[in-house]
Amino acid sequence: MQNSMNIETACQKIIATGHKMVEQKMIAGSWGNLSIKIDTESCAITPSGRAYDSLTAQDIVIIDMTGKKLAGDLIPSSETPLHTAIYKAIPEAQAIVHTHSIYASACAAMHKPIPAVVEDLVQIIGGQVEVAEYALPGTQALADNAVKALQNKKAALLANHGVVCWGTTLEAALMTAEIVEKAAHIYCICETMGGAVLLPDDDIAVMHDFYQQHYSKRQIGKGDETLE
Ligand SMILES: [Zn+2]
């Protein structure tokens, strides 16, 4: 198994992160979903239609990359095609967070990308967060449009729906979802006050490159430099 993760560990991580996201108001009720890649052939994913506050590790479903259930009693998330499409298209993706957070969803409802308004956003994303073309929830078309909008970035907006982020860990994917939501919030505030001054492309490239080379490693305890 390549990049294999213990199934129990993956399920526990999903539960802990789901509870954290409810506390942060990133998701409400059963909306939004999380997954972790177990290996190249399978992933652990939240079940469909279950509230996060009552979810336990036993409720997490294991599926293969075609969406077929391998283990678990519940039905996998209705957005399973979105998760498997991203894992298939982006081999570095090890975990996915999909939320309906308010300000990112507001931008998605306007079909407006979140531009390069703040440094932490461009450090992680490398530019603006694009909007995927609209498709009905739970469809392969939504998954395909999201992959197209992601390009080589770690987040994309889903038109009239929400946001999807991937990371090399679930913690990293959640952090990206938090940064995207914060940037969307700032962008919405700026729009009411005459508009933000966007970061220049050259500076975005420098910050994104530095983040990838050094800071992201430091966050997982490997690097020794900081951008601040
Ligand atoms: Zn959704």
Side-chain angles (χ1 to χ4, degrees):
M1 277 190 194
Q2 199 191 353
N3 300 323
S4 65
M5 172 179 265
N6 179 287
I7 290 176
E8 205 183 316
T9 306
C11 295
Q12 281 164 358
K13 272 179 187 284
I14 288 175
I15 294 298
T17 306
H19 289 165
K20 197 173 163 195
M21 288 171 73
V22 171
E23 277 168 31
Q24 292 172 330
K25 300 198 180 345
M26 298 282 282
I27 46 178
S30 65
W31 303 110
N33 32 75
L34 315 172
S35 71
I36 295 181
K37 191 155 96 175
I38 305 292
D39 55 42
T40 52
E41 307 296 322
S42 63
C43 65
I45 190 164
T46 44
S48 177
R50 295 288 292 255
Y52 281 85
D53 44 16
S54 62
L55 220 54
T56 70
Q58 287 72 40
D59 296 326
I60 302 304
V61 186
I62 310 300
I63 56 168
D64 72 13
M65 292 305 178
T66 69
K68 192 176 139 226
K69 186 158 82 172
L70 301 175
D73 296 329
L74 301 177
I75 299 167
S77 166
S78 58
E79 293 296 0
T80 288
L82 174 66
H83 291 251
T84 53
I86 292 171
Y87 288 132
K88 282 190 270 191
I90 306 171
E92 310 96 280
Q94 298 294 325
I96 294 167
V97 168
H98 163 53
T99 81
H100 297 175
S101 59
I102 300 291
Y103 288 94
S105 297
C107 295
M110 294 188 292
H111 293 207
K112 276 197 175 185
I114 305 168
V117 286
V118 283
E119 291 175 335
D120 48 10
L121 181 77
V122 303
Q123 283 165 20
I124 292 178
I125 304 296
Q128 66 179 14
V129 182
E130 305 291 352
V131 187
E133 199 179 319
Y134 182 78
L136 285 170
T139 59
Q140 188 61 45
L142 177 133
D144 294 342
N145 293 349
V147 166
K148 220 179 285 173
L150 279 166
Q151 300 164 17
N152 57 354
K153 294 175 180 170
K154 289 185 170 158
L157 299 177
L158 308 175
N160 307 92
H161 182 158
V163 57
V164 65
C165 304
W166 65 266
T168 52
T169 64
L170 191 59
E171 292 83 355
L174 174 60
M175 185 189 67
T176 298
E178 291 165 353
I179 297 288
V180 167
E181 177 62 8
K182 183 175 77 73
H185 192 167
I186 291 166
Y187 174 52
C188 289
I189 292 170
C190 291
E191 283 293 279
T192 67
M193 299 195 298
V197 177
L198 302 187
L199 289 159
D201 287 345
D202 287 354
D203 292 342
I204 290 171
V206 169
M207 283 187 277
H208 183 52
D209 185 57
F210 188 95
Y211 178 83
Q212 287 192 303
Q213 297 300 320
H214 304 286
Y215 197 57
S216 61
K217 289 173 190 155
R218 184 172 173 266
Q219 284 178 327
I220 54 172
K222 287 186 181 168
D224 56 1
E225 294 178 70
T226 172
L227 199 54
E228 289 185 332

